[in-house]
């Protein structure tokens, strides 16, 4: 079951968002449309726009502006994917060739820029200054998070705190913007807006922790990307950071060496170390704490099926296998 199918009341709105996204990819440049449609239609769960819809509904919103707002969030997310794949030299995403693998780096970066600018065009049409402030700030923080991740790449001395700063910036910030702007659109109380903002942040943290965990657990078929991609790129994610803490001197040195040079020459020994040191359980426990914090934040919201679905999404985030 896809996340949007958890709540029948949300499905028509979710389909309206899909239609809106596809109808707003138009460009006078055919390659822009081709790449835009390719990445947008590549099979993602549309989790971030779903969070906009659920948050607005959970606060009693009755209008239609949450449809373009959800599309804005998806445009921004899709732009970051295009840019990420170029930076990471990735050639597989969601089981398909990345846009940069198919069309090259330059077109992918420029179409990412197009999607950012299209998001801001739609945001101006909504015309809510609070929403503009949250989303423009989030876009800036996301960019900073990506640069920080780049600086941490191939640095085995990256701390857990530094790693958390990266995932809050590059992932949790857009989750947070999605849920908070849904509340803003519904003219929710300060308490409800804060509750949804915190829910989004903690959910985003949980989601990214599990993503990083699965790089050391899943097959390429399950993940839709290459197993060990993070290791190949020299990314010191939490499973590796914890394995270095808990491992022997010899294991620590092997991991440090692998982070510095990147590549997959020592993938199997690294997988064994991550398993043996309990780094898998450590990372999963961190994700479960984040998901629990997300659910706890929802206490300020009135009871509704939409609130229940938000709780379910937190559970799904930590229990998923792809």
């Amino acid at each position: 079951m896809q996340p949007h199918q958890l709540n029948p009341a949300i499905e028509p709105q979710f389909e309206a968002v899909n239609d809106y996204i596809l109808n707003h990819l138009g460009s006078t440049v055919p390659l822009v449309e081709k790449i835009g449609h390719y990445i947008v239609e590549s099979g993602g769960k549309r989790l971030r726009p779903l969070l906009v819809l659920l948050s607005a509904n959970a606060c009693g919103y009755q209008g239609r502006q949450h449809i373009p707002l959800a599309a804005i969030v998806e445009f921004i997310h899709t732009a970051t994917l295009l840019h990420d794949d170029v930076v990471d030299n990735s050639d597989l995403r969601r089981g398909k060739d990345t846009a940069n693998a198919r069309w090259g780096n330059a077109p992918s970066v420029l179409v990412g820029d197009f999607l950012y600018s299209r998001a801001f065009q739609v945001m101006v049409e909504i015309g809510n200054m609070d929403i503009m402030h949250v989303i423009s700030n989030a876009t800036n923080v996301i960019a900073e998070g990506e640069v920080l991740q780049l600086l941490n790449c191939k640095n085995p001395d990256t701390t857990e705190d530094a790693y958390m700063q990266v995932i809050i910036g590059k992932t949790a910030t857009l989750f947070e913007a999605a849920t908070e702007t849904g509340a803003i659109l519904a003219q929710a109380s300060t308490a409800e807006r804060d509750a949804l903002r915190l829910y989004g942040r903690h959910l985003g943290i949980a989601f990214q922790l599990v993503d990083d965990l699965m790089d050391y657990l899943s097959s390429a078929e399950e993940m839709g990307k290459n197993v060990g991609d993070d290791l190949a790129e020299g990314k010191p994610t939490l499973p590796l950071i914890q394995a270095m803490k808990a491992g022997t001197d010899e294991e620590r040195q092997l991991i440090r060496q692998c982070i510095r040079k990147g590549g997959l020459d020592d993938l199997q020994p690294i997988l064994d170390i991550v398993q043996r040191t309990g780094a898998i359980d450590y990372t999963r426990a961190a994700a479960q704490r984040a998901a629990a914090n997300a659910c706890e934040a929802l206490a300020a919201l009135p009871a509704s099926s939409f609130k229940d679905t938000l709780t379910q999404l937190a559970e799904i985030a930590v229990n998923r296998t792809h």
Side-chain angles (χ1 to χ4, degrees), residues 78-202:
T78 306
T80 67
L81 297 185
L82 283 164
H83 289 171
D84 284 356
D85 286 341
V86 170
V87 171
D88 295 339
N89 293 311
S90 298
D91 56 13
L92 191 67
R93 180 179 287 278
R94 297 168 183 160
K96 294 174 62 177
D97 290 341
T98 56
N100 51 296
R102 181 167 289 202
W103 287 283
N105 287 343
S108 295
V109 169
L110 295 172
V111 172
D113 294 344
F114 167 83
L115 290 172
Y116 273 128
S117 59
R118 180 53 48 90
F120 278 77
Q121 284 178 322
V122 177
M123 191 160 51
V124 169
E125 290 176 12
I126 292 176
N128 184 304
M129 285 301 295
D130 268 357
I131 287 174
M132 289 183 193
H133 174 76
V134 169
I135 290 182
S136 60
N137 182 66
T139 305
N140 193 254
V141 172
I142 291 164
E144 289 177 333
E146 294 292 354
V147 174
L148 188 57
Q149 177 172 260
L150 193 61
L151 292 174
N152 287 344
C153 230
K154 299 193 175 178
N155 176 13
D157 294 317
T158 300
T159 64
E160 185 171 334
D161 285 346
Y163 162 80
M164 291 300 296
Q165 188 180 352
V166 167
I167 68 171
I168 288 169
K170 70 184 282 283
T171 301
T173 294
L174 190 56
F175 277 72
E176 184 178 332
T179 51
E180 184 177 8
T181 54
I184 292 170
L185 196 59
Q187 298 182 321
S189 68
T190 301
E192 290 171 341
R193 175 174 167 174
D194 286 346
L196 282 163
R197 177 178 56 78
L198 288 172
Y199 166 86
R201 168 171 285 226
H202 290 304

Side-chain angles (χ1 to χ4, degrees), residues 149 152 155 158-160 163 166-167 170 208-209 211-216 229-231 234-244 255 259 274 279 283:
Q149 177 172 260
N152 287 344
N155 176 13
T158 300
T159 64
E160 185 171 334
Y163 162 80
V166 167
I167 68 171
K170 70 184 282 283
Q208 188 61 55
L209 283 166
D211 241 24
D212 293 345
L213 172 67
M214 289 194 297
D215 201 53
Y216 295 93
D229 268 0
D230 289 344
L231 182 64
K235 289 181 181 175
T237 57
L238 190 56
L240 291 184
I241 293 169
Q242 179 58 23
M244 282 190 284
I255 295 173
I259 290 172
V274 168
T283 304

Side-chain angles (χ1 to χ4, degrees), residues 14 17 21 46-54 70-71 73-74 178:
F14 187 84
V17 173
I21 289 169
R46 301 267 202 276
L47 182 57
R48 292 153 190 83
L50 177 60
L51 289 172
V52 174
L53 302 179
L54 288 170
V73 170
E74 185 66 6

